[in-house]
Amino acid sequence: VKSFTNKDLYFHTLYIAKKTWTEGRNELAKEALRMEKLRGREFSFWLFLDDDVEPVCRFGSVKVLGDGSCWQKIFNFISSDNVPERASTISLPRFAKEGFASTSNTDAFFAAFKREAVPYLLPYATLPNGSSEWISQAANFCVVGTCLTNSSVFVPYVNAKNTKSRPFIREGFNIQNIHRIVTHNYHNLSSNFTPCHNWNKMAYYAQGEHGTGIVGPFKTSDELNQHILPHKHEFCLPLRNRFWKWEKSVMESLSDDSFPTFLDDSSTLPEGDTSNLQKNQISILKEDY
């Protein structure tokens, strides 16, 4: 896998003032959607990461992930055939996995969503003012656990840490508030779609690495893929409909007075003819809040 250059990844700064973590992620998702519309094709992944993520590659990583810096090895993995077919998300573990492993509940400090899975996973659940920012991640755990079970795959032989986390609201992270947010954002009674309505213990919302929610590790990607359950796309169609409604509202907003808040198209896309951009480029969305 070749090293990434400016021709593969392009960057600009999008300043989003006075937003929470959840609001910021959803604003970045809007930008990814806008970038896709401008370039005329979808990305393979939408990758979100906090600005203080520090990966550490362990012994054995070169054999599976190839050469280069630790970040390069992570991108080698994302763009390789070693990503299981049933993976919905590529994540970084806090504790390195010596092989291929997955779960439903992973820390969102690094989340590379497969584009085909985006309509089931985004946008993040909206929260009332003053809510714990952990609730939007918990709601995402509910969606993955219900519709794309154990499909969040860890990059093998890598662990990560984030040591510069800013102050944010933690109070109110309890089962009652999580259930309220999940119900408000995802339940659709007309379709009999009520995910996690019986999740009555906080253990359901614990990160997989903090409990017994890890599948694997296995020696090969194919072995892991066989242990990831088939996705419930038909059952979870209300989530896709939710995304389509959000997508329509985003595209409509680009033509109104809010459009000038985005940068000019020329600063978003690389110079030259964009028709030659490869489909397997990755949209990287980084937060500094």
Side-chain angles (χ1 to χ4, degrees):
V1 178
K2 67 182 181 67
S3 296
F4 285 90
T5 68
N6 288 337
K7 292 181 179 179
D8 302 296
L9 303 173
Y10 46 94
F11 304 88
H12 75 268
T13 299
L14 178 67
Y15 179 67
I16 307 171
K18 298 180 180 179
K19 296 290 185 182
T20 64
W21 184 94
T22 304
E23 292 169 335
R25 282 287 172 103
N26 284 341
E27 289 297 319
L28 292 174
K30 291 179 184 179
E31 178 67 0
L33 185 61
R34 187 184 80 100
M35 292 166 68
E36 286 186 340
K37 299 302 181 183
L38 288 173
R39 73 196 294 263
R41 63 173 67 91
E42 294 180 346
F43 294 102
S44 295
F45 290 86
W46 287 9
L47 193 166
F48 298 82
L49 69 154
D50 294 349
D51 73 309
D52 60 342
V53 174
E54 299 177 15
V56 178
C57 286
R58 300 297 182 180
F59 180 79
S61 63
V62 173
K63 183 177 180 180
V64 177
L65 306 177
D67 295 320
S69 68
C70 196
W71 278 117
Q72 180 63 53
K73 291 176 182 178
I74 291 168
F75 284 110
N76 289 349
F77 177 77
I78 293 175
S79 59
S80 75
D81 293 334
N82 278 326
V83 175
E85 181 181 354
R86 289 178 176 171
S88 69
T89 310
I90 307 301
S91 303
L92 295 181
R94 291 191 177 274
F95 309 98
K97 308 294 182 273
E98 295 186 1
F100 296 86
S102 68
T103 186
S104 293
N105 303 5
T106 55
D107 196 308
F109 63 5
F110 180 102
F113 299 118
K114 266 189 183 178
R115 185 57 177 86
E116 64 200 51
V118 163
Y120 300 94
L121 300 172
L122 296 175
Y124 281 95
T126 56
L127 308 177
N129 291 336
S131 298
S132 168
E133 291 303 306
W134 282 339
I135 293 180
S136 60
Q137 289 192 52
N140 186 262
F141 295 167
C142 166
V143 169
V144 177
T146 300
C147 303
L148 310 167
T149 310
N150 289 325
S151 65
S152 186
V153 174
F154 295 114
V155 179
Y157 299 100
V158 176
N159 69 283
K161 57 184 178 179
N162 60 327
T163 59
K164 301 176 184 178
S165 183
R166 283 70 167 179
F168 62 91
I169 298 174
R170 291 172 167 80
E171 294 75 17
F173 185 63
N174 56 54
I175 198 69
Q176 293 80 13
N177 288 334
I178 296 172
H179 181 75
R180 188 178 302 112
I181 295 301
V182 168
T183 300
H184 175 73
N185 281 268
Y186 303 131
H187 283 198
N188 187 322
L189 296 180
S190 63
S191 300
N192 196 30
F193 183 68
T194 57
C196 310
H197 69 92
N198 60 346
W199 286 22
N200 56 5
K201 297 179 181 179
M202 288 300 293
Y204 287 112
Y205 296 102
Q207 291 185 27
E209 290 189 284
H210 297 165
T212 58
I214 300 293
V215 177
F218 299 97
K219 291 183 178 180
T220 69
S221 172
D222 287 339
E223 285 182 273
L224 174 59
N225 194 65
Q226 293 172 17
H227 287 81
I228 299 175
L229 296 176
H231 300 331
K232 300 177 182 177
H233 289 149
E234 184 175 353
F235 174 69
C236 296
L237 185 60
L239 293 179
R240 193 173 183 88
N241 292 337
R242 172 180 178 266
F243 176 84
W244 284 339
K245 183 178 179 180
W246 171 81
E247 179 183 40
K248 181 180 178 181
S249 69
V250 171
M251 299 317 299
E252 289 175 347
S253 72
L254 296 183
S255 60
D256 62 22
D257 293 339
S258 67
F259 186 78
T261 63
F262 292 98
L263 297 180
D264 293 336
D265 297 346
S266 60
S267 63
T268 301
L269 296 175
E271 296 179 359
D273 182 8
T274 61
S275 62
N276 292 323
L277 288 173
Q278 297 297 310
K279 181 180 184 297
N280 62 359
Q281 284 187 306
I282 301 169
S283 175
I284 300 182
L285 302 159
K286 180 176 176 182
E287 286 187 293
D288 181 359
Y289 57 93

